[in-house]
């Protein structure tokens, strides 16, 4: 700071001037000290204000950071709560879906059991109807055979009577054996064809395909093996459920055959109902495919269904005319065999007896002559020669 010089005072004595100068200097130094104090105070205030501003800024920044952290924590907590709620809802939905699936599976099992029971009842009814029809056919055949036997016996009796009246013996009613047998066989076959329940046949085909680690010969061998165990595989597997019949009916109604040239298996099912035949053939084929593909790793062959069974439109069992024709042919064959094995009788001639010694004017036959006992078959040894042969009564 520059000091302002005042106008020179009046000349005074030197000591007073010195005193005044010292006082002025002291005042100036006090003013400087005051100014320095003021400046220090202002700097301190400025530093205090800066510190306060910095503290306030730090506090506001800390508050903002705390608020940001709180908002982030709240957002994270809300996100976790929403995720937990979503997970709980998903678990509830999965539980509901599992419950619904379990109920559906139980209902499906119940429906399958009901279907199996209905199929067993239907099979039992079909077997009962078949047994009744077979019994009726057997009864009709037995009646027809009895009638034919009675007619044959009557014809033979009539022929015998006629032959005995003429005094000779012939083979009784030999010409009626074959026609009677043909008629009886035709009647029995026609009755069987009419009373028997028509049968329908459906066929499904399965092919054995070799993998990269097998050849065609192995596929042909496995086709033969699968064809032999097809009925056992079908019973162990799900074929009886898919077909809707019992294991006994499945074994009795399904036949399998293989080809010596190609690895193919034909599954043929027979049933009184076309749909049942189709279901049995397709069910056994599907069981073969499932079981064969389960063993693919060990057999190195793959089982593929080549063709599904087609619903039959016409019965495969013989019709009534064909059954009658077959029965007539069988009856004719049996009649011919009976005619061939029938014992033949030799015709017996009437021999004139040698006259013995006359006693009392009457001629009597000798008791030891061979022709005396063979005239009528029942005459006494001493019967007169003039007596005619007595006819045999039946």
């Amino acid at each position: 700071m520059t000091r302002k010089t005042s106008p020179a005072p009046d000349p005074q004595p030197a000591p007073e001037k010195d005193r005044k100068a010292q006082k002025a200097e002291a005042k100036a130094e006090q003013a400087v000290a005051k100014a320095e104090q003021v400046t220090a105070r202002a700097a301190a205030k400025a530093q205090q204000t800066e510190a306060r501003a910095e503290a306030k800024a730090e506090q506001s920044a800390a508050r903002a950071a705390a608020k940001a952290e709180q908002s982030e924590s709240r957002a994270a907590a809300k996100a976790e709560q929403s995720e937990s709620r979503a997970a709980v809802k998903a678990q509830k939905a999965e539980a509901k879906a599992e419950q619904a699936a379990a109920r559906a599976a139980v209902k499906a099992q119940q429906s399958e059991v009901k279907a199996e029971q209905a199929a067993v009842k239907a099979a039992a009814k079909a077997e009962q109807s078949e047994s009744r029809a077979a019994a009726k056919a057997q009864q009709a055949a037995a009646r027809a055979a009895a009638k034919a036997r009675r007619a044959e016996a009557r014809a033979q009796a009539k022929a015998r009577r006629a032959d005995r009246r003429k005094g000779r013996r012939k083979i009784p009613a030999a010409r009626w054996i074959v026609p009677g047998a043909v008629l009886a066989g035709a009647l029995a076959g026609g009755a069987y064809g009419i009373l028997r329940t028509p049968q329908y046949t459906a066929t499904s085909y399965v092919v054995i395909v070799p993998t990269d680690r097998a050849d065609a010969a192995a596929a042909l061998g496995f086709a033969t093996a699968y064809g032999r165990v097809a009925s056992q595989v079908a019973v162990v597997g799900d074929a009886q459920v898919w077909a809707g019949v019992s294991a006994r009916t499945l074994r009795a109604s399904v036949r399998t055959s293989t080809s010596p040239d190609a690895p193919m298996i034909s599954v043929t099912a027979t049933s009184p109902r076309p749909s049942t035949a189709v279901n049995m053939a397709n069910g056994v084929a599907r069981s073969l495919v499932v079981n064969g593909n389960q063993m693919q790793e060990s057999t190195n062959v793959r089982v593929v269904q080549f063709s599904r069974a087609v619903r039959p439109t016409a019965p495969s069992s013989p019709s009534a005319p064909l059954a009658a024709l077959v029965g007539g042919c069988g009856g004719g064959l049996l009649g011919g065999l009976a005619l061939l094995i029938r014992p033949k009788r030799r015709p017996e001639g009437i021999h004139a007896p040698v006259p013995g010694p006359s006693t009392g004017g009457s001629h009597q036959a000798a008791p030891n002559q061979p022709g005396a006992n063979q005239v009528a078959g029942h005459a006494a040894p001493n019967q007169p020669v003039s007596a005619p042969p007595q006819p045999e009564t039946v």
Side-chain angles (χ1 to χ4, degrees):
M1 295 178 62
T2 58
R3 296 179 180 178
K4 294 180 181 181
T5 57
S6 60
D10 293 335
Q12 292 180 359
E16 288 182 356
K17 291 182 180 180
D18 293 334
R19 289 177 182 174
K20 290 180 180 180
Q22 289 178 355
K23 288 181 181 179
E25 288 176 358
K27 289 181 180 179
E29 288 176 357
Q30 289 178 357
V32 170
K34 288 181 180 180
E36 288 176 355
Q37 289 178 358
V38 170
T39 304
R41 290 176 183 175
K45 287 183 179 179
Q47 289 177 356
Q48 289 178 357
T49 54
E50 287 178 358
R52 289 176 182 174
E54 289 177 355
K56 288 181 180 180
E58 288 176 356
Q59 290 178 357
S60 63
R63 291 175 183 175
K67 289 182 179 180
E69 288 177 357
Q70 289 179 357
S71 62
E72 287 178 358
S73 62
R74 290 176 183 174
K78 289 182 179 179
E80 289 177 357
Q81 289 178 358
S82 61
E83 287 178 358
S84 62
R85 290 175 183 175
V88 170
K89 289 182 179 180
Q91 290 178 356
K92 290 181 179 179
E94 288 178 356
K96 289 182 180 179
E98 290 177 355
Q99 291 178 357
R103 292 175 183 174
V106 171
K107 289 182 179 179
Q109 290 179 355
Q110 291 178 355
S111 63
E112 288 178 356
V113 170
K114 290 181 180 178
E116 289 180 359
Q117 292 177 355
V120 170
K121 291 181 181 178
K125 288 183 180 179
E127 291 177 356
Q128 289 179 358
S129 62
E130 287 181 359
S131 62
R132 290 175 183 173
K136 289 181 180 179
Q138 290 177 358
Q139 290 176 0
R143 291 174 185 172
K147 288 182 180 179
R149 287 196 296 268
R150 287 196 294 267
E152 184 179 357
R154 291 174 184 174
Q156 289 179 359
K158 289 181 180 180
R160 287 175 184 173
R161 289 174 186 173
D163 291 338
R164 285 168 186 167
R165 286 173 186 174
K166 293 179 181 179
R168 57 188 178 183
R169 293 183 179 181
K170 295 182 180 179
I171 300 174
R175 63 181 180 274
W176 296 105
I177 294 178
V178 176
V182 171
L183 180 60
L187 290 176
Y192 178 75
I194 293 173
L195 297 177
R196 186 175 183 272
T197 305
Q199 300 291 323
Y200 294 88
T201 302
T203 304
S204 179
Y205 295 94
V206 177
V207 176
I208 309 300
V209 180
T211 59
D212 297 336
R213 294 178 292 178
D215 53 357
L220 188 61
F222 278 111
T224 305
Y226 280 128
R228 291 179 180 176
V229 300
S231 60
Q232 299 178 3
V233 172
V235 172
V236 173
D238 298 331
Q240 54 182 342
V241 178
W242 295 329
V245 297
S246 61
R248 180 180 179 183
T249 304
L250 198 65
R251 288 179 177 175
S253 302
V254 176
R255 301 184 306 275
T256 58
S257 60
T258 58
S259 174
D261 301 330
M264 180 179 290
I265 305 171
S266 63
V267 181
T268 303
T270 304
S271 177
R273 295 182 179 180
S275 59
T276 304
V278 172
N279 292 334
M280 287 193 293
N282 290 331
V284 173
R286 184 177 177 184
S287 180
L288 277 175
V289 171
V290 172
N291 287 274
N293 291 331
Q294 287 178 355
M295 300 176 63
Q296 182 177 354
E297 295 296 332
S298 58
T299 58
N300 294 327
V301 293
R302 188 163 53 92
V303 184
V304 180
Q305 188 169 4
F306 183 74
S307 175
R308 295 178 62 86
V310 181
R311 182 183 178 90
T313 58
S316 59
S317 57
S319 60
L322 181 59
L325 180 60
V326 173
C329 294
L333 181 60
L334 292 177
L337 292 175
L339 188 61
L340 290 175
I341 65 176
R342 186 173 180 269
K344 296 181 179 179
R345 297 180 181 179
R346 296 179 180 178
E348 298 176 353
I350 300 175
H351 301 279
V354 178
S358 60
T359 57
S362 63
H363 302 281
Q364 294 183 356
N368 295 325
Q369 293 297 327
N373 297 331
Q374 298 176 1
V375 175
H378 297 281
N382 296 324
Q383 186 178 0
V385 178
S386 60
Q390 297 294 329
E392 184 179 3
T393 59
V394 178

